[in-house]
Amino acid sequence: MYVCNEDIKLPHPDTIVWKYLDLSKFLDLLLRRQLFMSRSDKFEDQYEGTFSEPTYDELIKISGDNTEFLDNYKQHRKNVVISSWHINEYESYAMWQIFTKNNEGLAIQSTIGRMQAALAPENTYEQHIGEVEYIDYKKEKIPFDNNFFPFLFKRKSFQYEREVRIISDLTNHNLQIHEGVKTDVDINKLIEKIYIHPKSQNWYKNLVIQLMQQLGFDFRIEKSDLESDILI
């Protein structure tokens, strides 16, 4: 269930968010009506869920010789799962390049408000939504008075991601998490529009449309701004 955490920075409900993914992941989302959330230490960025240097130095002073104190923080990363989305008023050429291959793939357009409404209330674990802040890990501190803060800060090198996250801490659920977990979601509330890769062939676009119709979905499909006709 979605829980509003006052400590976490949350964008306005009308803020537009995107998820770029390949066809297989999109179909899995539609068939299962579940959103995949990755274990935080499985992301490509090895700094996920860690602290900046000033914060780490402060934790060392607090913990002293108590290595268990820091080990608990390391273990915590294995129990936190994340679904990443991209904040942008418009579709992003860079995101197409990063998250799709061979000129194939889709982008889901949603909003923060839709995301909040789509998270199923019957889910047994709490889900929080927060916007990522990008800082200098050599100079700036990450607060540690909230267990989610290490997962809502990233290095400035990743500013292009403009990321907002759905986060859950599953520590108290005694789950054996491998790559991640899947959480129930109301697909029709979550998805506002679908964009098909701007460089995809017509057969691929038709295939996507046909598959959605066969599964009983009628999402609005927008033409990508990146395939608009040249006006000269």
Side-chain angles (χ1 to χ4, degrees):
M1 56 183 165
Y2 169 68
V3 176
C4 181
N5 190 320
E6 293 182 356
D7 293 333
I8 295 177
K9 180 182 177 184
L10 179 67
H12 188 276
D14 292 336
T15 301
I16 297 173
V17 294
W18 303 74
K19 192 166 192 66
Y20 295 80
L21 66 176
D22 61 33
L23 182 57
S24 61
K25 291 179 180 177
F26 178 64
L27 290 177
D28 183 67
L29 172 64
L30 297 188
L31 285 167
R32 296 178 181 272
R33 296 174 185 263
Q34 290 182 316
L35 186 65
F36 178 73
M37 300 180 71
S38 175
R39 205 173 86 175
S40 68
D41 62 339
K42 296 293 184 179
F43 282 90
E44 186 175 353
D45 180 13
Q46 62 180 344
Y47 284 82
E48 284 286 352
T50 64
F51 288 107
S52 61
E53 291 182 19
T55 305
Y56 180 78
D57 291 341
E58 190 170 339
L59 285 171
I60 291 294
K61 291 177 183 177
I62 293 172
S63 63
D65 295 329
N66 186 1
T67 56
E68 184 179 346
F69 181 79
L70 291 175
D71 288 342
N72 286 337
Y73 273 110
K74 293 179 182 178
Q75 182 63 32
H76 189 226
R77 300 172 67 200
K78 298 179 180 180
N79 294 315
V80 174
V81 293
I82 296 169
S83 174
S84 300
W85 294 70
H86 172 66
I87 298 176
N88 207 326
E89 187 176 352
Y90 307 99
E91 64 178 302
S92 166
Y93 177 78
M95 294 296 110
W96 281 122
Q97 296 294 106
I98 294 169
F99 291 104
T100 63
K101 297 179 180 178
N102 302 321
N103 295 335
E104 297 177 1
L106 306 98
I108 295 171
Q109 187 189 94
S110 187
T111 65
I112 294 295
R114 279 181 167 270
M115 189 183 289
Q116 291 171 307
L119 295 175
E122 63 270 16
N123 283 336
T124 56
Y125 45 87
E126 294 182 355
Q127 294 161 310
H128 305 263
I129 300 174
E131 183 176 354
V132 173
E133 294 186 47
Y134 301 91
I135 64 170
D136 185 336
Y137 267 48
K138 291 187 178 294
K139 299 177 181 178
E140 299 179 73
K141 286 186 178 181
I142 296 174
F144 53 87
D145 50 349
N146 185 304
N147 286 337
F148 289 109
F149 283 158
F151 306 94
L152 290 169
F153 287 83
K154 296 188 73 170
R155 291 172 293 161
K156 284 187 177 291
S157 302
F158 291 88
Q159 283 184 108
Y160 67 90
E161 292 179 346
R162 300 185 64 190
E163 191 176 351
V164 65
R165 294 178 155 185
I166 304 172
I167 305 180
S168 291
D169 182 356
L170 307 184
T171 302
N172 297 325
H173 292 267
N174 298 317
L175 297 176
Q176 189 70 25
I177 305 169
H178 297 288
E179 295 301 315
V181 299
K182 291 182 178 179
T183 181
D184 292 337
V185 68
D186 188 324
I187 300 297
N188 290 303
K189 288 181 181 178
L190 179 68
I191 299 175
E192 183 170 13
K193 301 175 186 176
I194 296 292
Y195 286 72
I196 303 175
H197 198 293
K199 293 186 179 180
S200 62
Q201 300 293 319
N202 284 334
W203 70 263
Y204 182 83
K205 293 184 174 75
N206 292 332
L207 174 64
V208 172
I209 294 169
Q210 182 181 354
L211 288 171
M212 284 197 302
Q213 290 174 344
Q214 288 178 348
L215 293 173
F217 294 100
D218 187 27
F219 298 121
R220 179 176 166 187
I221 298 178
E222 291 284 346
K223 181 178 179 180
S224 169
D225 288 337
L226 298 174
E227 57 175 336
S228 298
D229 296 329
I230 298 174
L231 301 179
I232 57 172

